[in-house]
Amino acid sequence: MVERLLGELPSVCALGEIVHLWQRDIRDDERCGCGARFSACTFWKRVGQVAFGGWTNVDVDRVHALRDVVERTRHIPRLAGANLPDAQRADVREYAGYYAKVYAAAAEVSGAAVVVDSSKHSALAHVLRWADDVDLRVVHVVRDARGVAYSWTKTVSRPETDGSDEMTRYSPGRSALLWNAHNAAFGLLSRRGVPVRRIRYEQFLTDPRAALRELADYAGVPAGDDDLAFLGDGYADLGVGHSAAGNPMRFTVGRLPMRRDDAWMRSLPSGQRRLVGAVCAPMLRAYGYPLNPAEVSQEA
Ligand SMILES: [Zn+2]
């Protein structure tokens, strides 16, 4: 959602989860946010031309092989070091280079000053730290771990595959561990000197206009009142985007209602709520989330 909203700003181009571009788009030809198949989308066709002289020139097996070697959560401690051994550094930079080419080409084709990759993989952000042709600014969106856990238990189909596939689901315990690991990884990235701006999902939805203005400033493309005219009270009016992969919301065109989804407070069983609350307690506290559900409901 944050990506879609940023993408409405005149100097910003939202790309979707580029981490999935190689398989889901280049290989499987899934649908772009504009509704066309990836191979038929004019925007991505031009990006492929500029970046690689056409997508057929991308060695997807090579990208996947590099990903296995460098872009895994277990590699983060190594990636977060002050130095990388030469052999690893070469792999990391080669892998980051594929992304940098896509970003630069997308900026050229769209004319945007800023492109947004919503991949979310913390390991990818650590990889991009080693790319010297990317001016990396990370937006770290956090949400209450119990809301995340509840959302991961729900079944959501992936429209880009015409309903044949569903989004990944996790048990609440597994969600809690992943929540800790990914959030910690972004904290580490910040301590390594990469600009990381943390926003809370719940706060963002309380005042999307102010939040978006702040993010635009952070990205170096300040937004005026006219730029934010697509935001109404409790909704956003979205144009067609070319988000390549990711959340099904990327297909939304027109009015998008924006409400805080606090369904977990009523629907996440209390045992699971306590489990997730306990496992995630230190960081929930650090991010300013009340641990006691009674306080949470009062805040809501
Ligand atoms: Zn498209």
Side-chain angles (χ1 to χ4, degrees), residues 31-38 40-45 240-244:
R31 289 184 192 285
C32 172
C34 70
R37 292 277 171 200
F38 179 76
C41 168
T42 322
F43 171 75
W44 284 109
K45 229 187 262 184
V240 175
H242 294 286
S243 182

Side-chain angles (χ1 to χ4, degrees), residues 73 76 122 140 142-146 148 152 172-188 191 275-287 291:
T73 305
I76 289 176
S122 41
H140 177 199
V142 296
R143 183 181 178 187
D144 191 308
R146 293 156 291 190
V148 173
W152 277 120
R174 178 100 184 110
S175 287
L177 293 174
L178 287 172
W179 188 90
N180 275 342
H182 283 283
N183 286 311
F186 285 108
L188 184 56
R191 289 197 291 282
L275 167 74
V276 176
V279 172
C280 301
M283 266 190 286
L284 279 171
R285 238 186 249 114
Y287 296 158
L291 289 187

Side-chain angles (χ1 to χ4, degrees), residues 88 115 161:
Q88 272 161 27
V115 296
T161 58

Side-chain angles (χ1 to χ4, degrees), residues 2-25:
V2 175
E3 186 207 17
R4 284 304 306 275
L5 298 183
L6 282 170
E8 289 297 317
L9 299 175
S11 317
V12 179
C13 181
L15 304 181
E17 302 183 16
I18 297 303
V19 77
H20 296 303
L21 177 98
W22 321 103
Q23 181 64 42
R24 293 185 191 171
D25 294 314

Side-chain angles (χ1 to χ4, degrees), residues 50-193:
V50 173
F52 304 104
W55 293 112
T56 48
N57 291 325
V58 177
D59 183 350
V60 176
D61 286 336
R62 178 67 185 156
V63 177
H64 286 162
L66 284 166
R67 174 192 298 175
D68 287 341
V69 177
V70 301
E71 198 239 283
R72 293 290 178 207
T73 305
R74 65 173 180 276
H75 300 321
I76 289 176
R78 205 167 59 197
L79 288 167
N83 285 296
L84 278 178
D86 285 346
Q88 272 161 27
R89 179 185 288 248
D91 287 342
V92 167
R93 290 169 79 99
E94 184 186 346
Y95 183 66
Y98 283 97
Y99 288 80
K101 283 201 180 80
V102 171
Y103 302 153
E108 189 184 320
V109 170
S110 65
V114 173
V115 296
V116 184
D117 176 352
S118 57
S119 292
K120 300 197 293 281
H121 288 195
S122 41
L124 178 58
H126 278 274
V127 165
L128 293 173
R129 169 181 166 234
W130 294 96
D132 44 22
D133 42 1
V134 176
D135 176 6
L136 179 64
R137 297 179 204 191
V138 176
V139 177
H140 177 199
V141 183
V142 296
R143 183 181 178 187
D144 191 308
R146 293 156 291 190
V148 173
Y150 180 62
S151 144
W152 277 120
T153 60
K154 291 187 293 186
T155 308
V156 180
S157 70
R158 291 182 51 221
E160 54 271 63
T161 58
D162 299 326
S164 61
D165 199 4
E166 284 176 357
M167 288 177 73
T168 320
R169 280 184 285 168
Y170 293 116
S171 71
R174 178 100 184 110
S175 287
L177 293 174
L178 287 172
W179 188 90
N180 275 342
H182 283 283
N183 286 311
F186 285 108
L188 184 56
L189 193 63
S190 169
R191 289 197 291 282
R192 289 296 173 268

